[in-house]
């Protein structure tokens, strides 16, 4: 296919250059194309016909005298027949003046191929070497071939359309396509897309009606997600059916078929990607899947599956265009070592993502602490993890370093612990202290939301400035907002208990005495006999 496209796009430039070189120095290159060879004759015919110079192209036809007035028409019709029925590779023709002497044909005869007539009989298309009016030997289309041109042309399906177009639209534009074909291509694509959308919508309606009669729910979701792939498939189908109407040259038609086949591959792999998303959503929301490991690994596994599908899609598309995929993969294997060395961090982050998923360190939405970072996990990618902090900033951490870090997940706890140290003044009596301890403990034990074995209300120590009481309790919840509300209510209740017992909370104090101590040691006297005691906070 590439050779055909290259032939169409570059034939004029390459051919003219080769012929000019041959004319200048025919003995310089033994493989040079002779100007009087079958290949050069056919190339000149195509050059004139592509430029719309049909009268000049007719000089390459061996015409009887009665057909000379119709020479330009015959040349135009022959071009149309060859473009649609017989695509000829110039390289397959002999470049020597005497032609191919080993083709088992009579001397001075070259066969280009065969075209079926309206009855299905294959008739040859031949060049013959005859003398022109000046007596020079030239290769031209044989009279037998010329006599069949009208029959071949009348059998073309788009003949009526070609005959009714203005001559300007029959001119040849870029890449060998006629101007009417260039104008028709965008209209053709638009109509195919519109028809594909309509047919895709009808298909979804039918499939949805079928899916609603089943007990499963995944088929409904799959039909809803198939909007794009279905529309693309129908667009390609419509384009494939209507493509012959454009009457493209064989290389262009072959390229169009390759594009349509690639579109089918894209639609199929697009459906697979949508199915992966659907499967991931179903598994993540399925109550039967209780394994935290499965739920943690699921996002990473879905991304790996998508990457694998996209890689296969690229390989399939490249293979469809005739590119050497095996050589490409071999080249990637050779360069893989250098790539691996250059992408160590990327590979490290990739395996870090796998490690985080397998170890189920955290999940999306969990409140975690990584080093001095506190926030909710917003996304877990193949390269990095994003955490939304309490200040609403977004921090991105590479998975490789995150897998080696100390990660504290608040979402993994089954209850949240309250711990406080209450300080009371030294003037508190034993009875008052026992009353406070008892009432706080009773209040915590009566709260059904508090884990019973976690309640601790004990006099901790006789500190330098206060009597310290240790209070601890665990609320059976994972919601930190619920814990905050409960903690506030509990602390307010403790304040009420302390107030009713007539006990006061302590704060650091210090007593300063001036003068030498008296005999009782309970007062300090100044030199003038006056007592002065100062209490400072």
């Amino acid at each position: 296919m590439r050779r055909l496209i290259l032939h169409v796009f570059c034939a004029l430039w390459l051919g003219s250059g080769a012929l000019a070189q041959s004319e200048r120095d025919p003995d310089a290159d033994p493989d040079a194309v002779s100007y009087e060879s079958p290949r050069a004759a056919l190339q000149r015919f195509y050059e004139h016909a592509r430029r719309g110079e049909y009268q000049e192209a007719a000089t390459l036809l061996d015409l009887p005298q009665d057909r000379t007035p119709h020479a330009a028409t015959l040349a135009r019709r022959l071009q149309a027949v060859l473009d649609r029925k017989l695509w000829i590779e110039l390289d397959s023709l002999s470049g020597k003046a005497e032609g191919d002497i080993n083709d088992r044909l009579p001397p001075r005869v070259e066969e280009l191929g065969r075209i079926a007539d309206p009855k299905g009989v294959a008739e040859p298309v031949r060049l013959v070497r005859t003398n022109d009016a000046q007596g020079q030997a030239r290769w031209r289309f044989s009279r037998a071939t010329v006599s069949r041109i009208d029959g071949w042309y009348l059998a073309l399906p788009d003949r009526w359309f070609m005959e009714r177009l203005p001559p300007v639209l029959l001119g040849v534009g870029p890449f060998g396509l006629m101007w009417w074909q260039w104008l028709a291509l965008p209209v053709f694509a638009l109509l195919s897309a519109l028809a594909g959308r309509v047919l895709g919508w009808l298909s979804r309606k039918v499939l949805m009606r079928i899916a609603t009669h089943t007990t499963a729910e995944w088929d409904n979701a799959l039909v809803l997600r198939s909007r794009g792939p279905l529309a693309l498939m129908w667009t390609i189908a419509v384009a494939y059916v209507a493509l012959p109407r454009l009457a493209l040259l064989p290389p262009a038609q072959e390229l169009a078929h390759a594009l349509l086949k690639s579109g089918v591959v894209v639609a199929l792999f697009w459906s697979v990607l949508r199915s992966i998303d659907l499967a991931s959503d179903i598994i993540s929301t399925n109550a039967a899947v209780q394994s935290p490991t499965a739920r943690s690994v699921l996002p990473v596994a879905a991304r790996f599956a998508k990457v694998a599908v996209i890689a296969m899609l690229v390989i399939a598309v490249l293979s469809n265009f005739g590119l050497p995929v095996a050589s490409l993969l071999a080249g990637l294997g050779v360069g893989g070592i250098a790539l691996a060395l250059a992408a160590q961090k990327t590979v490290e982050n990739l395996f870090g993502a796998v490690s985080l998923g397998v170890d189920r360190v955290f999940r999306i939405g969990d409140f975690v602490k990584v080093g001095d970072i506190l926030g909710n996990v917003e996304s877990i990618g193949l390269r990095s993890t994003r955490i939304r902090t309490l200040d609403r900033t977004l921090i991105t951490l590479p998975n490789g370093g995150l897998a080696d870090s100390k990660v504290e997940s608040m979402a993994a706890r089954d209850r949240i612990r309250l711990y406080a140290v209450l300080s009371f003044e030294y003037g508190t009596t034993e009875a008052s202290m026992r009353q406070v301890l008892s009432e706080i403990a009773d209040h915590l034990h009566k709260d059904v939301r508090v884990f019973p074995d976690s309640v601790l209300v004990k006099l901790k120590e006789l500190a330098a400035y206060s009597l310290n009481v240790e209070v601890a309790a665990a609320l059976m919840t994972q919601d930190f907002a619920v814990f905050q509300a409960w903690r506030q209510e509990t602390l307010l209740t403790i304040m009420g208990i302390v107030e009713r017992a007539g006990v006061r909370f302590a704060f650091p104090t210090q007593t300063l005495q001036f003068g030498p101590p008296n005999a009782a040691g309970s007062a300090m006297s100044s030199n003038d006999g006056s007592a002065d005691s100062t209490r400072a906070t």
Side-chain angles (χ1 to χ4, degrees):
M1 183 184 72
R2 291 178 308 211
R3 291 176 60 191
L4 294 178
I5 297 173
L6 182 62
H7 169 71
V8 172
F9 295 168
C10 304
L12 296 178
W13 179 73
L14 292 177
S16 60
L19 293 177
Q21 177 67 24
S22 176
E23 283 190 299
R24 287 193 302 267
D25 190 4
D27 298 328
D29 185 1
D31 296 328
V33 179
S34 172
Y35 184 77
E36 297 298 338
S37 65
R39 185 190 303 180
L42 182 61
Q43 184 164 340
R44 289 198 302 275
F45 174 81
Y46 276 128
E47 289 176 3
H48 292 306
R50 297 278 184 253
R51 292 195 294 262
E53 302 169 352
Y54 294 112
Q55 195 64 44
E56 289 78 1
T59 60
L60 277 301
L61 305 181
D62 188 6
L63 295 171
Q65 290 295 330
D66 60 334
R67 303 304 302 274
T68 302
H70 308 287
T73 301
L74 288 172
R76 179 177 62 82
R77 291 185 174 186
L78 179 58
Q79 178 206 0
V81 170
L82 293 179
D83 286 345
R84 289 157 180 78
K85 297 295 185 179
L86 182 63
W87 182 256
I88 305 168
E89 289 192 61
L90 292 178
D91 292 343
S92 65
L93 300 180
S94 173
K96 299 179 180 179
E98 64 274 15
D100 188 359
I101 60 176
N102 298 318
D103 56 1
R104 298 183 181 181
L105 291 174
R108 305 166 71 91
V109 176
E110 197 82 10
E111 185 170 312
L112 306 181
R114 290 178 176 266
I115 298 176
D117 64 3
K119 297 181 180 180
V121 179
E123 299 174 322
V125 179
R126 290 179 175 177
L127 296 175
V128 295
R129 192 178 188 190
T130 59
N131 295 330
D132 58 10
Q134 288 76 27
Q136 294 182 347
R138 298 180 60 188
W139 286 95
R140 296 182 292 180
F141 286 93
S142 68
R143 291 196 176 188
T145 299
V146 173
S147 67
R148 301 186 183 105
I149 292 177
D150 290 334
W152 289 335
Y153 180 76
L154 293 176
L156 294 178
D158 59 337
R159 171 184 59 83
W160 64 271
F161 179 73
M162 298 284 294
E163 292 176 349
R164 287 164 176 77
L165 283 176
V168 65
L169 295 181
L170 295 176
V172 179
F175 307 120
L177 297 182
M178 298 182 183
W179 289 115
W180 75 266
Q181 292 173 324
W182 279 113
L183 295 176
L185 278 174
V187 178
F188 170 80
L190 179 61
L191 293 178
S192 298
L194 292 176
R197 288 180 66 88
V198 173
L199 292 173
W201 178 78
L202 293 175
S203 300
R204 290 200 314 276
K205 289 293 183 182
V206 174
L207 293 175
M208 183 59 71
R209 179 165 294 185
I210 297 174
T212 52
H213 288 83
T214 63
T215 57
E217 296 183 359
W218 62 267
D219 51 358
N220 296 359
L222 184 60
V223 173
L224 292 175
R225 291 173 180 260
S226 64
R227 176 181 178 182
L230 273 178
L232 180 57
M233 287 291 289
W234 277 114
T235 300
I236 294 171
V238 173
Y240 185 81
V241 172
L243 185 62
R245 300 295 180 184
L246 292 178
L248 299 175
L249 296 176
Q253 189 170 7
E254 187 176 353
L255 178 60
H257 283 161
L259 290 173
L260 293 178
K261 291 178 182 178
S262 300
V264 173
V265 174
V266 170
L268 293 176
F269 279 90
W270 191 2
S271 301
V272 174
L273 291 175
R274 290 292 180 90
S275 301
I276 292 175
D277 290 334
L278 176 60
S280 177
D281 293 342
I282 292 175
I283 294 175
S284 62
T285 58
N286 192 350
V289 181
Q290 299 293 338
S291 173
T293 303
R295 293 181 181 273
S296 301
V297 175
L298 187 60
V300 178
R303 285 183 171 86
F304 269 110
K306 288 183 178 181
V307 170
V309 170
I310 293 174
M312 289 188 290
L313 169 62
V314 173
I315 292 174
V317 171
L318 294 178
S319 177
N320 189 49
F321 280 98
L323 297 177
V325 178
S327 301
L328 178 62
L329 294 178
L332 291 177
V334 173
I337 299 177
L339 181 62
L341 294 175
Q344 290 183 9
K345 288 297 181 181
T346 302
V347 176
E348 178 184 353
N349 293 330
L350 186 63
F351 282 96
V354 176
S355 176
L356 292 174
V358 172
D359 293 341
R360 60 182 190 277
V361 178
F362 46 71
R363 293 176 293 179
I364 296 177
D366 287 356
F367 188 77
V368 298
K369 179 180 180 182
V370 182
D372 57 349
I373 300 173
L374 276 171
N376 294 92
V377 179
E378 193 160 280
S379 66
I380 304 174
L382 295 179
R383 194 199 70 84
S384 61
T385 297
R386 296 182 178 181
I387 297 178
R388 180 75 66 177
T389 66
L390 298 178
D391 295 330
R392 304 304 299 163
T393 60
L394 193 62
I395 295 180
T396 302
L397 301 175
N399 289 332
L402 190 59
D404 295 332
S405 301
K406 178 182 177 182
V407 180
E408 183 178 356
S409 177
M410 310 301 178
R413 55 189 177 187
D414 55 352
R415 47 185 178 263
I416 305 177
R417 183 170 180 258
L418 166 67
Y419 181 80
V421 176
L422 308 179
S423 299
F424 299 106
E425 290 183 339
Y426 260 105
T428 304
T429 63
E430 178 187 353
S432 299
M433 179 61 73
R434 291 184 180 275
Q435 177 184 349
V436 169
L437 296 176
S438 177
E439 291 186 12
I440 294 176
D442 290 342
H443 171 74
L444 294 176
H445 281 295
K446 290 178 181 179
D447 194 335
V448 296
R449 297 172 297 176
V450 175
F451 189 68
D453 294 342
S454 66
V455 176
L456 173 65
V457 183
K458 300 293 183 182
L459 180 60
K460 179 182 180 181
E461 60 180 345
L462 304 178
Y465 305 108
S466 61
L467 306 174
N468 293 337
V469 174
E470 188 176 27
V471 177
L475 184 67
M476 292 183 292
T477 183
Q478 294 180 332
D479 192 336
F480 193 72
V482 173
F483 168 76
Q484 287 179 313
W486 172 84
R487 180 178 60 185
Q488 173 181 281
E489 188 61 31
T490 301
L491 294 177
L492 290 173
T493 302
I494 292 175
M495 289 180 63
I497 293 174
V498 172
E499 290 177 1
R500 289 192 297 272
V503 179
R504 297 175 61 184
F505 288 103
F507 49 87
T509 61
Q510 186 177 11
T511 300
L512 299 180
Q513 295 180 335
F514 299 94
N518 54 18
S522 60
M524 298 294 294
S525 301
S526 61
N527 292 333
D528 57 0
S530 63
D532 183 13
S533 177
T534 302
R535 180 171 178 156
T537 300

